[in-house]
Structure formats: structure tokens, C-alpha cells
Amino acid sequence: MIAASGTGGHVIPALAVADALRARDAEVSFITTRDRSGTGLPSRNGYEEHSVPLRGFERRFTPRNLLVLGRALLAVPRALWALRRARAGVVLTAGGYLAGPVAIAARLRRTPVVAMEADSRLGLANRLIAPLARTVALAWPLPGRTGSRYVVVGRPVRAAVTSATRTAGRRALGLPPDAPVVLIVGGSQGARTLNVAAVDAFGEDPPFEVIHVTGPGQFDEVQSALARVGRHDRYRIEPYLDDLHNAIAAADLVVSRSGGSVFELAALGRASILVPYPFATADHQTRNARWLADAGAAVLLTDAECTGPQLRSLVGALLADRSRLDHMGKTALELAKPDA
């Protein structure tokens, strides 16, 4: 049984583990939260999926947190029911606020728990449930997290990612085989700064093919902005892509936030411009970005610097320097951990 909080950032690496387990004839099912961007991904990939209504706590005192606490307490018996129905022998928690109730339910059933941390810092949920877990699998080495309980494996990526190719990706997306392609993606929730800068930089007349993944909540806003500047046929927008790996593989350059997707960029050997979300917990997206940027595989662009003119200048310079672009891609591939 795998517990993932419903966002793509938690569900996607969990699916990679599920695929590897299923290949070894294990029966795998999921517990996810309702009404989040990643909900439904497991069922669309052939896994039984149980959904629990749950929201995260706000990191300040607010009456709303009392309601969240009540739902979290109710989530424990619901998780117990799901574990019993699945006859779970092991529980893997993939981070996020759902991890706590599911880990408690597993402990009540004396079912072993493995916690997975896909970011460059141990999230609040994983810090709380680490004492309940038999093993904590880390994407990066973390200070103070040593000993037999902790193991550094990297961030799992799906086999579909590691096997994706430029040719197949362009064919799947209907892109010209030889045209320059830039992918712009702000993560499963979207990134308003990146969305606004991208439209300003390339919306009117892009000199290359653009695939812009806006995030479901910002799709209408970006579509309206493009309509105002006279959207070009070479500028394609999508609210969300289940097969984002095809778009990454098809691209010559990726402009993105720097969540866990940095491991997919590395696995596919793609050069990138990374714009860390400035309010990410413990600024972990900046640390993620520096992992690639310090090695020469990416350019780090701060959120404050991410404007239309700056983005247009950076993208243009990189696309004009093919040797640098190729070197960045090869360096990213050397950093990859495809078998995490």
C-alpha cells in the first residue's frame, strides 16, 4: 500500500516505485487525497486507489486548522479500513500531510512503514513519522539523518521517463522533428511568475516551438493573456500533462520550477533554466536547482529576476550556443540516478 498526498510531486515518484514493485509481482494499491492534481493518476495507471478527504495545515494559527485536525483524526480509521481491505504487508508513505494518518494506521496494525523523501530536505510529515518508519529513503544526503534507518537512493523516476526519446516525444506531441523546442512548466500547481514571464517573452511571435504547461488553476488566465497578444500557432499551452516525460524528451531546453522534477531533467539529460519557488519550505527548491546549476547542467534564475525580457535573453543565448546546450545535457545525465 502506497500513501501519497495527491499532488503530482508526491504521486509521480510513488508511481515509479509501484511500477518497480508490480514488475516483481507485488500487488500495489494507493491511498491519495481528494481534489488534488495527482488524484486519479494511480487509477489511470491501473492501480486501485482509495481517496481520503484531507487538507494540509496552515503554518500559522488559524481556526481552519481545527477543522483540518478533525479531518486528520478521521483519516486514521479511513486509512485503517483501506489497509485492511488491501491486506497491506508494507506501507510506503510518499510525503505530504496524508503520510501521518496512514503511518499511524499502519503502526496500529503493526504493518512496517517505509517513508520516502523526494526533496532536498526532510518535510514536516516525514520528520514526524520517521520514528514510526523502519526505513526512510532519501533523495539526497541530509545533515543529521544517518544510521541504519536512513538510506540515500535518489528520487525514483518511472521507466517511461528513462526510456523516453526525443524522436518519440516529438511524435507523441505532434512536433516538427528538427525545430527548436522550449518546454515551460511550473509544476503540477503552476507558477504565476513563470507563466507571466513566458507569455511576455514568447507569446506574440516565438522563434521556436513552445510547449507551456500552465498548471490547471492558471490555464484560463494564461489563455486569456495569450489571446490579448495574439497567440501564435507555435505556442502551445496545456493545463497539465500526464506524460510530461515526452515533453521533456522532446525539448531542447526546459524552463521550470525546481521541485522533484530536477531528477527527471537529469534522467533525460536536458539542459534547463530553473526558477525556484521562493516560498518553498526551507527554500528547498533553491537547493534542488543548485544541484544542477553548480555542476553546469542548469542556469539558476531567481523568481525576482524572472521577467519576460530576461527570460527571452537567456533562452535565446542558450539556443544559439548548441555546444553549451549539449554540454549541459550531458552533465545532467551524469548526475542522474535512474534506478533510484
Side-chain angles (χ1 to χ4, degrees), residues 120 138-143 145 152 337:
S120 56
L138 303 175
W140 280 276
L142 299 180
R145 303 294 174 176
V152 179
K337 295 185 177 181

Side-chain angles (χ1 to χ4, degrees), residues 170-192:
R170 292 191 172 211
R171 187 183 302 120
L173 293 167
L175 293 166
D178 299 319
V181 174
V182 174
L183 170 66
I184 300 166
V185 57
S188 58
Q189 302 304 308
R192 178 161 280 104

Side-chain angles (χ1 to χ4, degrees), residues 76-115:
V76 174
R78 286 172 171 150
L80 274 168
W81 174 84
L83 296 179
R84 189 175 299 115
R85 179 178 172 184
R87 302 188 305 278
V90 177
V91 170
L92 171 69
T93 62
Y97 42 83
L98 183 61
V102 176
I104 292 170
R107 188 62 179 263
L108 291 173
R109 294 185 75 246
R110 297 185 179 179
T111 303
V113 175
V114 175

Side-chain angles (χ1 to χ4, degrees), residues 174-176 179-183 206-211 233-236:
L175 293 166
V181 174
V182 174
L183 170 66
F208 38 72
E209 300 287 332
V210 174
I211 305 171
D233 290 343
R234 287 196 296 265
Y235 199 117
R236 179 188 306 186

